[in-house]
Amino acid sequence: MPESPAGEIAPTKGGHLLERSGVRLIDLSMEIYEGMPIFPAHQRPFMFVNQTHEGFKERFDTKVGFEAHNWLMSEHTGTHTDAILEYEEGGASIEEMPLEYFYGDAICIDLSHVRHPDWVTVGDLEKAVASSAQEIRAGDIVLLYTGHGERTWPSKEYAAVCTGLTRDAAVWLAEQGVVNIAIDSVSIDHSDDEDFSGHMVCREYQIVNTENLTNLDQIVNTRFIFFGLPISFRQGTGSPIRAAAWITD
């Protein structure tokens, strides 16, 4: 496989073909793999081989072969976004929702000092926004950097316990005009919250949430363009996404 001098995968013609002047794209997505930690209500992903290079050549009597894999996994595997249908019966499914829910202006705020069993409160959000030297604007996507993944991935603790939003904190974000609340853990809800307050606020305000982000330490306290586009599953309750932050230098 062709590689650049730095050891990264690159076109045969050279790694410079992948350079993008004036912008950086920070990958915020976790790797999906068999047996990975996942919210306990969902099935862990399973991968099996559909065909190998040699198997393809033997099957179709060709000189070249192709490899392909099949995946069995939940719509809520790894870094993913929810559709309103997940938490509202009869709500909009993923293919019905405007893409503007899943990309646009965003900020990431630092809540890494809030750890389970503590909850993220309105006061925590207000202080984090003030410390970021940013502001929440109507239509923003807000990413909550808790550091939970950095501290616990891939241990069992990652999916078992995490901090999360109080109901008042979720309402506060929604009242600012936030359209997508995102976090670096399995849920925007506190793991002890049997009322799933954050999701219920998303239902009330007809907004979405994104979970299992990574690398938020690289974009904390900054403004950027967020991309987390879902697969257009018919009647989908959510979708894995390749989330990224587009930063202009």
Side-chain angles (χ1 to χ4, degrees):
M1 189 172 295
E3 295 187 354
S4 69
E8 298 179 351
I9 297 171
T12 303
K13 290 289 188 177
H16 66 282
L17 298 177
L18 300 180
E19 294 176 1
R20 302 293 181 261
S21 178
V23 298
R24 289 182 295 134
L25 205 61
I26 307 297
D27 192 350
L28 307 179
S29 311
M30 62 171 52
E31 176 188 21
I32 292 177
Y33 61 91
E34 189 172 321
M36 66 186 294
I38 193 170
F39 189 79
H42 301 302
Q43 173 186 295
R44 290 191 175 190
F46 174 71
M47 187 275 284
F48 56 98
V49 176
N50 181 353
Q51 63 190 26
T52 64
H53 291 278
E54 289 302 317
F56 184 96
K57 288 187 284 187
E58 180 178 350
R59 179 182 177 186
F60 295 105
D61 194 25
T62 58
K63 295 181 180 179
V64 298
F66 297 88
E67 183 160 341
H69 305 156
N70 293 337
W71 284 89
L72 180 64
M73 62 183 181
S74 165
E75 297 164 322
H76 302 270
T77 298
T79 307
H80 71 276
T81 191
D82 293 344
I84 292 172
L85 175 60
E86 189 208 19
Y87 36 83
E88 179 179 44
E89 187 174 357
S93 53
I94 201 71
E95 86 286 6
E96 295 173 329
M97 299 189 65
L99 288 179
E100 285 75 13
Y101 275 102
F102 311 111
Y103 82 94
D105 290 336
I107 64 169
C108 178
I109 57 176
D110 189 356
L111 296 161
S112 57
H113 61 286
V114 183
R115 303 184 182 187
H116 185 275
D118 295 334
W119 296 58
V120 176
T121 65
V122 173
D124 292 322
L125 294 174
E126 291 176 332
K127 291 177 182 177
V129 173
S131 298
S132 73
Q134 305 295 324
E135 62 178 352
I136 297 179
R137 303 170 186 167
D140 270 353
I141 297 167
V142 173
L143 284 62
L144 310 178
Y145 169 53
T146 70
H148 179 72
E150 295 175 10
R151 293 189 296 268
T152 64
W153 182 267
S155 71
K156 292 182 179 179
E157 181 184 356
Y158 176 79
V161 296
C162 62
T163 189
L165 296 165
T166 65
R167 174 176 170 81
D168 287 345
V171 168
W172 186 86
L173 287 169
E175 284 290 328
Q176 310 305 306
V178 172
V179 300
N180 187 337
I181 304 170
I183 200 165
D184 55 352
S185 62
V186 293
S187 179
I188 62 170
D189 295 321
H190 193 286
S191 53
D192 299 334
D193 185 0
E194 296 182 355
D195 293 326
F196 302 99
S197 301
H199 283 77
M200 294 304 97
V201 170
C202 288
R203 180 181 69 180
E204 294 167 23
Y205 284 81
Q206 295 292 286
I207 61 177
V208 301
N209 62 94
T210 296
E211 296 157 333
N212 295 314
L213 293 167
T214 64
N215 297 328
L216 297 193
D217 60 307
Q218 298 183 36
I219 57 171
V220 69
N221 295 335
T222 62
R223 177 166 284 276
F224 50 91
I225 302 296
F226 174 83
F227 289 94
L229 302 182
I231 299 171
S232 189
F233 292 121
R234 182 176 294 185
Q235 288 299 298
T237 68
S239 172
I241 59 174
R242 188 64 180 263
W246 177 284
I247 300 175
T248 303
D249 293 329

